[in-house]
Amino acid sequence: MPKHFRPAGKKKEGNAAKYITRTKAVNYLQVSLAIFRKLCILKGVFPRQPKKKVEGNHKTYYHMKDIAFLAHDPLIEKFRQIKVHRKKVKKAIAKKNRDLADRLLNRPPTYKLDRLVLERYPTFVDALRDLDDCLTMVHLFAALPAVDGERIEVKRIHNCRRLSHEWQAYISRTHALRKTFISVKGIYYQAEVQGQKITWLTPHALQQVLTDDVDFNVMLTFLEFYETLLGFVNFKLYHSINVNYPPILDPRLEALAAVLYSVPELYALCRYMSTGSGRAIGNSDSGGVNEKESGAIKENEDGNNKASAKTDESELRLAQLQHQLPSNEPGALMHLVEESTAVDTDDDETKECKSLFKNLKFYLSREVPRESLLFIIPAFGGTVSWEGEGAPFNEIDEDITHQIVDRPTQSHVFLSREYVQPQWVFDCVNARIILPTDGYLVGRVPPPHLSPFVDNDAEGYIPEYAETIKRLQAAARNEVLPLPGDEDLDNSLVAAMMDRTESNEAAEKKRKLEMLEKQYHDELKMEIDGVTFSNLSNKKPDKSQDTMDKDDAKSDHEDEKKQAEKDNDDISTALMSRRKRGLYKAMEIGRERKQDKVELLKKRKKNADSSASAKRR
């Protein structure tokens, strides 16, 4: 018998030993399919695609090591205890033993996911890299209606709103927001936190309806883990800027947040982070999310939140709301927190974002998307207020420079401020300059809202308004700004850009006039020299004939060059393998589709321009 002989059926090898189907995995773990799904979501286990599917292509496969990883997790025992507890409650109710049922319902088995966060994300950077879906899911549930009797608990929705506002307050405080874009799905944001770019989507502030097409059980399982993850991330980020977490808000603003949750609560968080309520953290630079540290912080919360401290902090925040502090604007209060080090560690991009809306004061009308603008404007150094209770200043404030409106008519107009549409704020943020407000005035059709996530050079098509913004950006970089103290400081940049554009147009006109003048002098000199029109006309055909011969030779040379390139491509394709040839053809098809899309956009733009010119006539 050979040394390495293995009898058939005794031991599996290869893909049959590495992978297991979902049905066998459920039987191996001795759990239901719903609990198996929940375990896979919480532990981050996903199906695999083996090269050779032993039991058929219609089945789902998991890696055997992942299933063994799930089998040793303590959560399985917790889920079994919960199942047994439900059976006990059901049995007590069936026997009409209401006292036993109430005792069981008051003491259900619970579990925590803190260990899973540390297990899946060993370092804090790993958690930041995987935060896109987390933020999108939390902001989605934060926009759902908090109504009793629905499939989603009210406390879960309130918790999502709290976590989302805490995240937005940190991004606004640290000026980490980089891009924003309004789409049909919602509003996209991109922030840069500790060198990691984080992109998330928030739904529009509309009435949401819970449909039956969505499996909310699966989504709530994801949300359960994402709530824990975002809580740890907020805890780490707040302590990195020496601010206590969870924040203690003003009771008056919290009462307002119960009615209008979006504006007062986010504004209260910005106030809290700006009133010097931070503290020094000795180990704020640790690499991972430490479970023991967070537990110790939570245990010490009761000792730190004494009645006297609450009273002092509440009085300070109320004093700010009542204009008893000299710097009451959110943009100015952002700079009141004393940093742990005296050295300015902000990079150039952060400094640019911090000073974009500097010295600008905004007022939001009631019809504009308040929550989005209240998040964006302070993130870029501006001061903002709104119409309603809890606002830092009223509409009649004479220092307001821009009022964001979305109605064609206004009850009263102040001549000292600009009335612009909300799109102007988003376009200024993406362009990183103060754009002219002429195209965004009330009642006008605004310019196209361009996405900052699209690379126009790679796509091969640059919109006309993108070229205009590029010219304005170049003018802003090359123009000398006025000295501080000028009364028209907020409008000087726009005026400088417009002056530069007008000077470029004047220079182009002057160059054309000089060319025409030179042509006139040449013709006059030829007339003085005695060159007749007949001699000039006889010379022109020869020149045109030579030009035609040169053009024909040039076209023949181009045809020969194209033919040579085609032959080289055919030879290269013939030498490729079948798989590489298929990939090459797919790349060529992708290039052709992109070129066709560019040609379609150019054609649409040409038709739009022709129709617009016809209407003007």
Side-chain angles (χ1 to χ4, degrees), residues 208-384:
Q208 304 293 334
V209 180
L210 303 182
T211 62
D212 297 331
D213 301 335
V214 180
D215 189 356
F216 282 96
N217 294 326
V218 176
M219 295 187 68
L220 287 173
T221 305
F222 277 102
L223 181 66
E224 184 179 1
F225 177 76
Y226 287 153
E227 284 178 328
T228 307
L229 173 60
L230 189 55
F232 273 100
V233 170
N234 288 344
F235 170 85
K236 181 70 176 175
L237 293 176
Y238 271 60
H239 281 248
S240 66
I241 58 173
N242 301 331
V243 177
N244 284 323
Y245 186 85
I248 306 168
L249 300 184
D250 189 356
R252 183 175 298 182
L253 288 177
E254 285 184 313
L256 287 175
V259 182
L260 299 172
Y261 68 90
S262 62
V263 175
E265 186 173 344
L266 181 58
Y267 180 73
L269 282 169
C270 295
R271 291 291 195 191
Y272 170 78
M273 300 177 68
S274 305
T275 54
S277 58
R279 63 175 186 83
I281 303 298
N283 54 353
S284 61
D285 295 330
S286 58
V289 182
N290 196 332
E291 178 187 357
K292 295 181 180 180
E293 179 186 358
S294 63
I297 293 297
K298 291 180 180 179
E299 289 176 0
N300 294 331
E301 283 180 5
D302 297 334
N304 295 333
N305 301 335
K306 294 182 180 179
S308 60
K310 283 185 176 180
T311 305
D312 296 338
E313 291 175 358
S314 178
E315 289 177 356
L316 178 58
R317 288 190 290 276
L318 286 176
Q320 293 173 357
L321 286 176
Q322 295 166 359
H323 297 268
Q324 294 177 8
L325 291 180
S327 300
N328 188 49
E329 298 82 12
L333 287 172
M334 290 295 180
H335 305 284
L336 292 180
V337 176
E338 294 292 335
E339 301 295 341
S340 59
T341 57
V343 183
D344 189 6
T345 58
D346 293 339
D347 54 357
D348 295 337
E349 191 173 12
T350 304
K351 292 179 181 178
E352 182 183 6
C353 295
K354 188 187 299 185
S355 60
L356 179 62
F357 291 145
K358 189 177 180 181
N359 299 328
L360 297 183
K361 207 168 183 179
F362 295 85
Y363 186 81
L364 309 180
S365 298
R366 65 173 181 269
E367 72 274 4
V368 301
R370 290 195 217 172
E371 185 175 1
S372 177
L373 294 173
L374 188 65
F375 170 47
I376 293 174
I377 293 174
F380 288 85
T383 305
V384 62

Side-chain angles (χ1 to χ4, degrees), residues 511-526:
R511 188 178 63 82
K512 290 181 180 179
L513 290 174
E514 290 177 354
M515 291 178 60
L516 292 174
E517 188 177 359
K518 183 179 179 182
Q519 182 181 359
Y520 172 74
H521 285 298
D522 292 341
E523 293 176 355
L524 187 61
K525 185 177 179 181
M526 293 170 63

Side-chain angles (χ1 to χ4, degrees), residues 365 367-369 404-408 410 420-422 442:
S365 298
E367 72 274 4
V368 301
I404 312 300
V405 296
D406 204 7
R407 288 180 303 203
Q410 302 295 323
V420 293
Q421 301 181 38
V442 181

